mmCIF file of all heavy atoms in Angstrom:
data_model
loop_
_atom_site.group_PDB
_atom_site.id
_atom_site.type_symbol
_atom_site.label_atom_id
_atom_site.label_comp_id
_atom_site.label_asym_id
_atom_site.label_seq_id
_atom_site.Cartn_x
_atom_site.Cartn_y
_atom_site.Cartn_z
ATOM 1 N N PRO A 362 -52.660 15.153 1.801
ATOM 2 C CA PRO A 362 -51.654 15.940 2.526
ATOM 3 C C PRO A 362 -50.494 15.076 2.955
ATOM 4 O O PRO A 362 -50.541 13.865 3.022
ATOM 5 C CB PRO A 362 -52.448 16.393 3.778
ATOM 6 C CG PRO A 362 -53.897 16.259 3.404
ATOM 7 C CD PRO A 362 -54.011 15.210 2.449
ATOM 8 N N ALA A 363 -49.361 15.717 3.240
ATOM 9 C CA ALA A 363 -48.112 15.038 3.555
ATOM 10 C C ALA A 363 -48.210 14.295 4.826
ATOM 11 O O ALA A 363 -47.466 13.310 4.988
ATOM 12 C CB ALA A 363 -46.948 16.002 3.585
ATOM 13 N N ALA A 364 -49.100 14.682 5.752
ATOM 14 C CA ALA A 364 -49.223 13.978 7.004
ATOM 15 C C ALA A 364 -50.687 14.079 7.428
ATOM 16 O O ALA A 364 -51.306 15.140 7.498
ATOM 17 C CB ALA A 364 -48.356 14.570 8.094
ATOM 18 N N ARG A 365 -51.328 12.940 7.737
ATOM 19 C CA ARG A 365 -52.693 12.915 8.139
ATOM 20 C C ARG A 365 -53.050 11.593 8.815
ATOM 21 O O ARG A 365 -52.277 10.575 8.726
ATOM 22 C CB ARG A 365 -53.628 13.106 6.897
ATOM 23 C CG ARG A 365 -53.380 12.093 5.810
ATOM 24 C CD ARG A 365 -54.295 12.283 4.633
ATOM 25 N NE ARG A 365 -53.842 11.523 3.520
ATOM 26 C CZ ARG A 365 -54.615 11.173 2.469
ATOM 27 N NH1 ARG A 365 -55.918 11.413 2.549
ATOM 28 N NH2 ARG A 365 -54.135 10.483 1.463
ATOM 29 N N LEU A 366 -54.181 11.558 9.482
ATOM 30 C CA LEU A 366 -54.744 10.423 10.146
ATOM 31 C C LEU A 366 -56.030 9.998 9.413
ATOM 32 O O LEU A 366 -56.844 10.876 9.151
ATOM 33 C CB LEU A 366 -54.987 10.652 11.630
ATOM 34 C CG LEU A 366 -53.766 10.798 12.570
ATOM 35 C CD1 LEU A 366 -54.205 11.208 13.961
ATOM 36 C CD2 LEU A 366 -52.945 9.539 12.591
ATOM 37 N N LEU A 367 -56.207 8.700 9.176
ATOM 38 C CA LEU A 367 -57.482 8.330 8.545
ATOM 39 C C LEU A 367 -57.728 6.827 8.840
ATOM 40 O O LEU A 367 -56.832 6.117 9.249
ATOM 41 C CB LEU A 367 -57.418 8.568 7.030
ATOM 42 C CG LEU A 367 -56.253 8.014 6.238
ATOM 43 C CD1 LEU A 367 -56.400 6.531 5.966
ATOM 44 C CD2 LEU A 367 -56.101 8.726 4.882
ATOM 45 N N ARG A 368 -58.944 6.459 8.650
ATOM 46 C CA ARG A 368 -59.321 5.030 8.718
ATOM 47 C C ARG A 368 -59.264 4.410 7.333
ATOM 48 O O ARG A 368 -59.682 5.083 6.317
ATOM 49 C CB ARG A 368 -60.757 4.880 9.262
ATOM 50 C CG ARG A 368 -60.828 5.255 10.744
ATOM 51 C CD ARG A 368 -62.168 4.832 11.337
ATOM 52 N NE ARG A 368 -62.205 4.952 12.787
ATOM 53 C CZ ARG A 368 -61.716 4.108 13.615
ATOM 54 N NH1 ARG A 368 -61.218 2.969 13.160
ATOM 55 N NH2 ARG A 368 -61.746 4.311 14.915
ATOM 56 N N HIS A 369 -58.671 3.285 7.183
ATOM 57 C CA HIS A 369 -58.485 2.707 5.903
ATOM 58 C C HIS A 369 -58.481 1.181 5.997
ATOM 59 O O HIS A 369 -58.217 0.624 7.098
ATOM 60 C CB HIS A 369 -57.077 3.133 5.289
ATOM 61 C CG HIS A 369 -57.012 2.918 3.823
ATOM 62 N ND1 HIS A 369 -57.540 3.756 2.892
ATOM 63 C CD2 HIS A 369 -56.419 1.920 3.144
ATOM 64 C CE1 HIS A 369 -57.318 3.287 1.669
ATOM 65 N NE2 HIS A 369 -56.595 2.210 1.814
ATOM 66 N N VAL A 370 -58.843 0.559 4.883
ATOM 67 C CA VAL A 370 -58.932 -0.935 4.874
ATOM 68 C C VAL A 370 -57.833 -1.392 3.929
ATOM 69 O O VAL A 370 -57.931 -0.991 2.680
ATOM 70 C CB VAL A 370 -60.284 -1.420 4.435
ATOM 71 C CG1 VAL A 370 -60.278 -2.933 4.338
ATOM 72 C CG2 VAL A 370 -61.408 -0.985 5.437
ATOM 73 N N PHE A 371 -56.789 -2.072 4.409
ATOM 74 C CA PHE A 371 -55.807 -2.686 3.549
ATOM 75 C C PHE A 371 -56.128 -4.195 3.470
ATOM 76 O O PHE A 371 -56.800 -4.717 4.296
ATOM 77 C CB PHE A 371 -54.390 -2.413 4.198
ATOM 78 C CG PHE A 371 -53.977 -1.004 4.155
ATOM 79 C CD1 PHE A 371 -54.143 -0.229 5.213
ATOM 80 C CD2 PHE A 371 -53.436 -0.476 3.037
ATOM 81 C CE1 PHE A 371 -53.752 1.106 5.259
ATOM 82 C CE2 PHE A 371 -52.998 0.887 2.982
ATOM 83 C CZ PHE A 371 -53.134 1.662 4.122
ATOM 84 N N PRO A 372 -55.447 -4.835 2.483
ATOM 85 C CA PRO A 372 -55.674 -6.321 2.364
ATOM 86 C C PRO A 372 -55.290 -7.041 3.636
ATOM 87 O O PRO A 372 -55.932 -8.072 3.991
ATOM 88 C CB PRO A 372 -54.799 -6.709 1.193
ATOM 89 C CG PRO A 372 -54.743 -5.446 0.345
ATOM 90 C CD PRO A 372 -54.666 -4.346 1.316
ATOM 91 N N GLY A 373 -54.267 -6.634 4.330
ATOM 92 C CA GLY A 373 -53.786 -7.361 5.515
ATOM 93 C C GLY A 373 -54.278 -6.827 6.838
ATOM 94 O O GLY A 373 -54.148 -7.449 7.868
ATOM 95 N N ARG A 374 -54.851 -5.580 6.868
ATOM 96 C CA ARG A 374 -55.293 -5.007 8.141
ATOM 97 C C ARG A 374 -56.165 -3.815 7.886
ATOM 98 O O ARG A 374 -56.035 -3.174 6.836
ATOM 99 C CB ARG A 374 -54.002 -4.590 8.929
ATOM 100 C CG ARG A 374 -54.286 -4.227 10.389
ATOM 101 C CD ARG A 374 -52.948 -3.801 10.979
ATOM 102 N NE ARG A 374 -51.865 -4.731 10.750
ATOM 103 C CZ ARG A 374 -50.593 -4.386 10.714
ATOM 104 N NH1 ARG A 374 -50.266 -3.050 10.919
ATOM 105 N NH2 ARG A 374 -49.669 -5.252 10.579
ATOM 106 N N SER A 375 -56.987 -3.475 8.832
ATOM 107 C CA SER A 375 -57.844 -2.297 8.712
ATOM 108 C C SER A 375 -57.832 -1.599 10.057
ATOM 109 O O SER A 375 -57.527 -2.192 11.109
ATOM 110 C CB SER A 375 -59.256 -2.631 8.343
ATOM 111 O OG SER A 375 -59.886 -3.503 9.321
ATOM 112 N N GLY A 376 -58.104 -0.303 10.010
ATOM 113 C CA GLY A 376 -58.100 0.451 11.267
ATOM 114 C C GLY A 376 -57.726 1.900 11.035
ATOM 115 O O GLY A 376 -57.937 2.436 9.966
ATOM 116 N N ARG A 377 -57.141 2.505 12.053
ATOM 117 C CA ARG A 377 -56.739 3.922 12.029
ATOM 118 C C ARG A 377 -55.262 4.038 11.761
ATOM 119 O O ARG A 377 -54.453 3.371 12.551
ATOM 120 C CB ARG A 377 -57.141 4.571 13.290
ATOM 121 C CG ARG A 377 -56.955 6.076 13.367
ATOM 122 C CD ARG A 377 -57.411 6.591 14.693
ATOM 123 N NE ARG A 377 -57.240 8.000 14.830
ATOM 124 C CZ ARG A 377 -58.049 8.979 14.432
ATOM 125 N NH1 ARG A 377 -59.164 8.610 13.771
ATOM 126 N NH2 ARG A 377 -57.784 10.259 14.568
ATOM 127 N N PHE A 378 -54.840 4.793 10.773
ATOM 128 C CA PHE A 378 -53.457 4.829 10.333
ATOM 129 C C PHE A 378 -52.967 6.272 10.212
ATOM 130 O O PHE A 378 -53.743 7.175 9.877
ATOM 131 C CB PHE A 378 -53.242 4.193 8.988
ATOM 132 C CG PHE A 378 -53.631 2.694 9.001
ATOM 133 C CD1 PHE A 378 -54.870 2.288 8.664
ATOM 134 C CD2 PHE A 378 -52.656 1.740 9.308
ATOM 135 C CE1 PHE A 378 -55.219 0.923 8.700
ATOM 136 C CE2 PHE A 378 -52.965 0.360 9.306
ATOM 137 C CZ PHE A 378 -54.253 -0.038 9.024
ATOM 138 N N GLU A 379 -51.683 6.443 10.473
ATOM 139 C CA GLU A 379 -51.061 7.762 10.193
ATOM 140 C C GLU A 379 -50.332 7.595 8.881
ATOM 141 O O GLU A 379 -49.488 6.733 8.698
ATOM 142 C CB GLU A 379 -50.041 8.066 11.277
ATOM 143 C CG GLU A 379 -49.313 9.365 11.051
ATOM 144 C CD GLU A 379 -48.134 9.601 12.026
ATOM 145 O OE1 GLU A 379 -47.591 8.600 12.482
ATOM 146 O OE2 GLU A 379 -47.825 10.792 12.278
#
Side-chain angles (χ1 to χ4, degrees):
R365 55 179 166 157
L366 290 173
L367 54 80
R368 289 191 172 276
H369 196 80
V370 178
F371 292 98
R374 193 182 310 155
S375 61
R377 187 177 177 85
F378 298 90
E379 179 190 29

